[in-house]
């Protein structure tokens, strides 16, 4: 068995195959956060059967939300049984995400194993993929905001998404069963806007690196389609070079962040790089400063050092 991989609690970018981004599946916000944490530790060189270790405390630090034991068990159980529906011109794949999930009692650790049919969509980065920031998706509380963020991120370099019919969007968000076996949710456009579209737009604009709005398009007298307009709110980060190890990437980003804060004292740098908690605060601080959630125009480096007890 391969050594357990540990999630990086940094402002990472997740790369996800677009077949997954537009796939039809339903997940709770808790399930999505577990999946995003899992995606952040996947590596190109991982072998089949690799066990990925998620630490609950780190997940809670990232999300700002507490997940109790029972809720986590339910989430991982659902992830074992939930189905991704991935379709292209030649194939329809029905596949589950996880082959197994193990919760280690008393240690706050979940060990996850990916199903092999799903692996290529998560690890094969050679073709079409979406990159989006881990910190952003964790900061969203609405499951619809998390899904719409993924879709919008796929089109961030173009400025607007393709035009989706409302049926297509609802199917992707699991608000409508394509076979008509379940009742449709939010049939009225006003309800769809109030409980899904407007909530997602507000949360994405307030908490992520993207700014979105949407346009509803009529066919005759009724609304038929939708497209989202997407802009970046902060400078784009380069995608993670997957050839580097996770620890190398974490250190590189930390050094870059400290340089941005004009922290140059070797002793301070060593103390920060050697302390996981201080690194977590560093990445969170940089993200909040860039997005305007922390106001420290005169001396941001000094404020950060005070926050981690080094000044």
């Amino acid at each position: 068995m391969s050594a357990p991989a540990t999630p990086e609690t940094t402002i990472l970018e997740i790369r996800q195959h677009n077949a997954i981004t537009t796939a039809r599946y339903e997940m709770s916000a808790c399930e999505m956060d577990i999946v995003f944490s899992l995606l952040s530790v996947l590596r190109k060189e991982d072998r089949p059967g690799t066990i990925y270790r998620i630490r609950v405390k780190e997940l809670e630090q990232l999300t700002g939300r507490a997940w109790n034991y029972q809720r986590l068990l339910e989430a991982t159980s659902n992830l074992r049984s939930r189905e991704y529906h991935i379709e292209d011109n030649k194939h329809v794949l029905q596949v589950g995400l996880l082959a197994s999930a193990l919760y280690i009692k008393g240690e706050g650790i979940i060990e996850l194993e990916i199903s092999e049919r799903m692996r290529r969509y998560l690890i094969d980065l050679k073709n079409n993929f979406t990159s989006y920031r881990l910190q952003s998706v964790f900061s969203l509380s609405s499951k619809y905001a998390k899904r719409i963020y993924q879709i919008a991120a796929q089109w961030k370099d173009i400025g607007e998404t393709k035009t989706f019919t409302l049926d297509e969007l609802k199917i992707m968000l699991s608000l409508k069963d394509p076979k008509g076996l379940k009742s449709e949710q939010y049939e009225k456009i006003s309800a769809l806007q109030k409980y899904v579209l407007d909530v997602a737009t507000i949360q994405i604009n307030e908490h992520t690196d993207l700014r979105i709005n949407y346009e509803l398009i009529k066919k005759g007298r009724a609304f038929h389609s939708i497209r989202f307009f997407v802009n970046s709110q902060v400078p784009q980060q380069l995608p993670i070079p997957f050839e580097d190890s996770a620890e190398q990437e974490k250190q590189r980003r930390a050094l870059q962040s400290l340089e941005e804060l004009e922290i140059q004292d070797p002793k301070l740098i060593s103390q920060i790089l050697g302390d996981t908690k201080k690194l977590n605060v560093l990445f969170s601080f940089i993200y909040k400063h860039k997005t305007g959630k922390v106001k420290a125009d005169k001396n941001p480096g000094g404020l950060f050092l005070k926050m981690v007890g080094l000044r």
Side-chain angles (χ1 to χ4, degrees):
M1 180 183 293
S2 304
T6 304
E8 297 305 313
T9 52
T10 67
I11 303 177
L12 298 178
E13 283 194 64
I14 302 168
R15 288 182 171 186
Q16 179 173 281
H17 199 291
N18 280 346
I20 299 297
T21 302
T22 56
R24 184 171 77 247
Y25 60 89
E26 180 180 4
M27 287 186 188
S28 69
C30 182
E31 290 166 49
M32 286 189 189
D33 284 342
I34 291 172
V35 172
F36 294 140
S37 189
L38 172 61
L39 289 174
S40 74
V41 300
L42 289 174
R43 298 290 171 256
K44 189 175 181 179
E45 64 272 14
D46 291 344
R47 296 180 179 180
T50 296
I51 301 299
Y52 300 95
R53 180 167 284 190
I54 308 297
R55 297 185 182 278
V56 176
K57 283 188 178 179
E58 292 181 355
L59 183 64
E60 290 180 339
Q61 287 174 352
L62 281 169
T63 62
R65 293 182 290 277
W67 303 116
N68 63 45
Y69 173 77
Q70 187 58 41
R71 195 165 181 187
L72 287 167
L73 279 183
E74 290 174 0
T76 50
S77 176
N78 288 338
L79 286 172
R80 286 271 295 114
S81 60
R82 289 201 191 282
E83 183 179 89
Y84 281 82
H85 183 103
I86 303 171
E87 185 171 354
D88 58 26
N89 293 333
K90 294 183 178 180
H91 306 99
V92 176
L93 175 64
Q94 296 169 307
V95 61
L97 176 70
L98 299 179
S100 67
L102 175 70
Y103 192 97
I104 302 177
K105 293 182 178 180
E107 296 186 27
I109 292 173
I110 307 169
E111 292 188 346
L112 303 175
E113 180 186 5
I114 301 167
S115 62
E116 285 310 306
R117 280 268 183 165
M118 190 62 130
R119 178 174 292 275
R120 65 171 290 247
Y121 293 101
L122 300 178
I123 296 182
D124 180 8
L125 307 173
K126 295 180 181 178
N127 299 315
N128 197 22
F129 64 84
T130 296
S131 64
Y132 52 93
R133 287 186 179 142
L134 181 58
Q135 190 72 33
S136 288
V137 288
F138 276 142
S139 67
L140 302 171
S141 60
S142 163
K143 63 180 181 179
Y144 302 123
K146 290 176 186 286
R147 288 288 278 126
I148 289 173
Y149 178 86
Q150 294 174 64
I151 294 167
Q154 180 181 343
W155 300 85
K156 64 184 178 183
D157 295 327
I158 298 173
E160 64 181 73
T161 69
K162 62 175 274 188
T163 298
F164 300 97
T165 67
L166 291 176
D167 283 346
E168 286 174 332
L169 182 67
K170 283 186 171 184
I171 287 169
M172 281 193 290
L173 300 180
S174 289
L175 296 173
K176 183 173 183 177
D177 184 346
K179 296 180 180 179
L181 300 178
K182 298 179 182 178
S183 59
E184 180 179 344
Q185 298 182 60
Y186 307 126
E187 284 192 73
K188 291 184 177 180
I189 193 66
S190 58
L192 182 66
Q193 287 184 275
K194 181 177 180 180
Y195 297 109
V196 179
L197 299 175
D198 291 346
V199 170
T201 298
I202 291 169
Q203 288 196 9
I204 289 168
N205 291 346
E206 287 186 355
H207 300 296
T208 80
D209 56 308
L210 299 183
R211 176 165 290 277
I212 72 166
N213 54 60
Y214 64 88
E215 177 185 19
L216 292 168
I217 303 164
K218 283 187 173 181
K219 186 175 183 180
R221 294 185 177 181
F223 288 107
H224 176 266
S225 306
I226 185 172
R227 66 169 165 260
F228 296 91
F229 299 95
V230 190
N231 292 293
S232 297
Q233 298 197 82
V234 296
Q236 293 297 314
Q237 295 180 353
L238 293 174
I240 294 172
F242 275 69
E243 291 73 20
D244 290 346
S245 71
E247 189 58 34
Q248 286 175 322
E249 173 60 20
K250 186 174 184 177
Q251 295 288 310
R252 186 188 70 79
R253 286 185 179 276
L255 286 170
Q256 180 181 338
S257 297
L258 291 171
E259 184 178 345
E260 291 175 14
L261 295 176
E262 298 183 355
I263 296 173
Q264 300 174 344
D265 186 318
K267 184 178 179 180
L268 289 175
I269 292 173
S270 178
Q271 286 178 290
I272 295 165
L273 294 182
D275 188 321
T276 300
K277 289 183 178 179
K278 288 183 175 62
L279 284 178
N280 292 342
V281 175
L282 171 64
F283 292 122
S284 178
F285 179 85
I286 286 290
Y287 176 80
K288 290 178 180 178
H289 185 247
K290 285 185 175 181
T291 54
K293 296 177 178 63
V294 169
K295 304 295 184 183
D297 295 333
K298 292 184 178 180
N299 186 13
L303 176 59
F304 165 72
L305 291 173
K306 186 175 182 180
M307 290 172 66
V308 294
L310 294 177
R311 174 170 290 187

